[in-house]
Amino acid sequence: MIAIVTFTDPRPTALSTERERALMEKHSLLSEELRKAGFEVLDVNRELGKYESLKAGKNFGIDSMEESFSAGKIIAGSSASGIIAGLWHWTESNLVTALVREAKRPLLLYADDDPAWAGTTCVTSVGASLWESAVNEYALNHVRLKGNVEKVKAWVRAVEAAAELSRRSLLLWGAPYTLGMEHLMDDLPRLKRFVGDFIMLDQYILVRKAEKMLADEKLRIRVEEFYDWLLEKTTVKFDELMLTPEALRRQIALYLAAKESWSEQSGVSAVSIKCQPELSEVYGVTACLIPALFPFSADAEGGKEVIPATCEGDVKGTISSALLFYLSGKPPLFGDIKYVDDEIVMIANCGASSLYYARLSENPEENLKATTLQGQCQGASGGALTYRTPPAEFTVARLIRRGGEYYLLHFRAEGIEITEEMESKLKWGKQWPHTAIKNPLDKETFISAMGANHLSLVPGDYSEELRFVARLWGIKAINLEDPREVKSFLGV
């Protein structure tokens, strides 16, 4: 939900029926544009009875401190993620300051490009006053836009996504960090500025649930039905070493155990499985069905919720994936930066990524049909889920930390078809799902800028939204398509 509130000139001598009707029309038009885009709108002026006031010959816009405080209380008591202040014509800045102090929500100051009214004067005056007063972080970090409804929608998506993350938890099976990768360590208390909480469970919970499922004749039926479903819907290539029928059944049991563990929690935005080495080596099977099927809309038990999932206990990668999901509504892909040259970046996760990317189809059956299950190249046993992502436009994002400070790396990427020549050069991890995208930089600069070996992406362009999110979080966004930003970040 987004709150929209329009202000006006409180001076009695400035009362203008024509002006107030214009403000009402502009306010209503923006509200309708956002509703058409799928957003729920809290019309604060309607809540305050301002439409009736206009009919009675009074102001439509908020015009007193009393109304500003009332509007602030309405917003504070709602589930609104942010406020759009309609500043179509002059108002007194302290009215907006009072609302922001009371409501405590992210704020966008907006006016259209109509030269008939003093919107530009109002936005600059109110914005300067908010900086001057700095009554809270929302006053200090407000956004100003003029005449760009599409950018308003991007801001709304950003505040909605940031709010969703802040209300939910990340579920981590297995404590990070994995395989000595120190960049997977994190400042969890500080990250609570971005996410609601962290639920950290030992992977033994999954092992115990999986073993119980395999040992109990009645519970094992779920595993067997899932096994038959995979054989029917995907191509399964058994071997005598890594992917045996029993290894696949253990992978299925781990996935079903993870589903049960997830269902026992509430308000989880995304999950991460550590896997290595406790599951892959000690327990003896990789957990690849978790990152394949959690961020997918179906499994053997029917349609299901899409839950972003990552591997190796990568907290910043999990936040990156969840953020992209809430911005786009699409299952996010997560994977390793496997290869980089001056032309391409190859992303291939350790055994599995969201099966949505096998065909980028809204029909799960088509994605499953394009997936092959075959023996892993590492771990004691288990199958990897193989596919090659078709070309599309993507947004790539990665939350990183350098010297204790967080940054949000992002860029738009054009997908590239993986040719037979490219395929012939693959050896290690050839069984993994691969996605090829154009490199926004040269290979040396790209590698120099990376603060992780993992990236997350979704189809579509969400660059504007990511910049707004970084601003809401109080961190710097680095667009890898912008040489100036990259040079500044690298200090060159």
Side-chain angles (χ1 to χ4, degrees):
M1 180 188 289
I2 198 74
I4 300 184
V5 53
T6 285
F7 292 82
T8 193
D9 193 333
R11 294 171 293 183
T13 54
L15 180 62
S16 165
T17 302
E18 183 184 2
R19 181 197 67 215
E20 294 305 308
R21 283 177 179 164
L23 297 187
M24 185 272 288
E25 288 172 5
K26 295 172 188 294
H27 175 99
S28 300
L29 183 61
L30 180 59
S31 299
E32 186 58 29
E33 284 285 332
L34 292 175
R35 288 193 181 99
K36 285 179 181 176
F39 301 112
E40 184 180 354
V41 173
L42 173 62
D43 187 336
V44 179
N45 290 63
R46 186 175 296 283
E47 295 291 317
L48 291 171
K50 300 299 283 184
Y51 289 85
E52 290 73 18
S53 294
L54 181 61
K55 290 177 183 176
K58 298 178 182 179
N59 285 342
F60 172 78
I62 287 178
D63 58 9
S64 70
M65 291 296 285
E66 181 183 6
E67 283 189 339
S68 285
F69 281 122
S70 295
K73 287 177 181 176
I74 288 169
I75 296 168
S78 75
S79 59
S81 302
I83 307 164
I84 299 174
L87 304 179
W88 322 98
H89 186 59
W90 175 259
T91 192
E92 293 180 0
S93 301
N94 59 353
L95 299 182
V96 183
T97 301
L99 177 134
V100 175
R101 183 192 291 115
E102 190 71 28
K104 299 181 179 67
R105 294 289 196 282
L107 176 67
L108 169 66
L109 308 182
Y110 187 71
D112 60 8
D113 244 341
D114 186 353
W117 306 103
T120 300
T121 308
C122 192
V123 168
T124 52
S125 172
V126 169
S129 295
L130 290 169
W131 281 351
E132 187 72 32
S133 62
V135 291
N136 54 35
E137 61 179 298
Y138 305 112
L140 196 57
N141 297 319
H142 70 270
V143 171
R144 307 174 198 178
L145 292 176
K146 188 169 182 285
N148 191 332
V149 175
E150 291 308 308
K151 215 166 183 178
V152 171
K153 293 175 186 176
W155 182 84
V156 174
R157 278 189 288 270
V159 295
E160 293 273 273
E164 199 67 31
L165 273 172
S166 72
R167 297 177 186 130
R168 292 175 173 264
S169 302
L170 301 187
L171 173 54
L172 310 175
W173 291 298
Y177 57 108
T178 303
L179 302 179
M181 289 185 278
E182 291 165 326
H183 68 275
L184 299 182
M185 303 173 93
D186 245 303
D187 185 346
L188 298 189
R190 189 174 170 193
L191 281 176
K192 287 192 179 183
R193 293 164 53 199
F194 309 157
V195 300
D197 205 353
F198 299 93
I199 303 168
M200 306 181 80
L201 303 177
D202 196 285
Q203 293 178 108
Y204 178 66
I205 286 175
L206 303 187
V207 171
R208 183 166 180 174
K209 285 178 179 290
E211 286 298 299
K212 183 179 179 182
M213 210 173 293
L214 292 168
D216 188 298
E217 216 173 286
K218 290 183 180 178
L219 295 177
R220 192 179 172 105
I221 292 173
R222 286 181 71 197
V223 176
E224 295 301 329
E225 288 176 345
F226 210 113
Y227 178 90
D228 292 340
W229 177 81
L230 280 174
L231 266 60
E232 177 191 349
K233 301 296 183 183
T234 69
T235 300
V236 180
K237 295 181 178 180
F238 290 115
D239 56 54
E240 296 179 359
L241 180 63
M242 296 298 289
L243 185 59
T244 63
E246 194 51 41
L248 180 55
R249 287 183 172 95
R250 292 175 79 194
Q251 286 188 299
I252 292 167
L254 274 177
Y255 169 74
L256 293 174
K259 272 187 77 174
E260 282 189 8
S261 178
W262 169 79
S263 69
E264 291 164 0
Q265 309 301 323
S266 61
V268 171
S269 62
V271 302
S272 188
I273 181 75
K274 183 171 183 275
C275 189
Q276 302 186 70
E278 295 88 353
L279 297 181
S280 60
E281 302 288 346
V282 180
Y283 181 57
V285 67
T286 55
C288 296
L289 289 179
I290 293 173
L293 290 171
F294 260 73
F296 193 56
S297 61
D299 64 16
E301 298 179 320
K304 55 177 280 296
E305 185 177 346
V306 171
I307 303 295
T310 70
C311 304
E312 298 174 347
D314 185 346
V315 176
K316 291 186 286 292
T318 309
I319 293 173
S320 304
S321 291
L323 172 59
L324 288 171
F325 172 63
Y326 287 126
L327 288 175
S328 68
K330 299 289 186 181
L333 180 136
F334 171 87
D336 287 288
I337 303 167
K338 191 180 178 204
Y339 174 77
V340 177
D341 62 24
D342 289 337
E343 301 299 324
I344 69 166
V345 176
M346 190 81 80
I347 301 170
N349 201 39
C350 173
S353 291
S354 170
L355 296 190
Y356 171 73
Y357 290 84
R359 276 292 176 269
L360 291 169
S361 173
E362 299 305 316
N363 180 357
E365 298 275 341
E366 292 183 11
N367 299 305
L368 290 162
K369 189 177 179 181
T371 300
T372 299
L373 258 163
Q374 57 186 317
Q376 255 282 23
C377 62
Q378 60 187 35
S381 73
L385 292 101
T386 312
Y387 61 76
R388 303 294 182 250
T389 303
E393 181 189 35
F394 301 107
T395 296
V396 184
R398 174 69 203 195
L399 182 66
I400 68 166
R401 185 164 60 146
R402 185 182 70 179
E405 294 299 318
Y406 287 96
Y407 298 85
L408 185 59
L409 306 183
H410 70 94
F411 61 97
R412 291 173 302 164
E414 182 184 335
I416 299 172
E417 184 178 355
I418 297 176
T419 64
E420 289 185 12
E421 181 185 356
M422 294 162 69
E423 189 77 32
S424 68
K425 294 177 181 178
L426 299 176
K427 187 173 183 180
W428 170 254
K430 189 171 183 175
Q431 309 94 322
W432 301 349
H434 283 64
T435 305
I437 57 176
K438 282 189 177 179
N439 188 348
L441 303 163
D442 62 82
K443 62 183 177 184
E444 290 184 5
T445 308
F446 185 90
I447 291 172
S448 297
M450 279 299 112
N453 60 309
H454 296 144
L455 291 173
S456 300
L457 61 80
V458 289
D461 180 6
Y462 297 93
S463 303
E464 204 74 67
E465 288 85 343
L466 289 169
R467 285 192 286 271
F468 283 134
V469 169
R471 189 164 176 174
L472 288 166
W473 284 350
I475 66 175
K476 199 163 189 178
I478 309 296
N479 182 2
L480 298 190
E481 295 175 273
D482 188 329
R484 292 171 301 177
E485 289 189 17
V486 175
K487 285 181 180 179
S488 176
F489 175 63
L490 294 177
V492 296

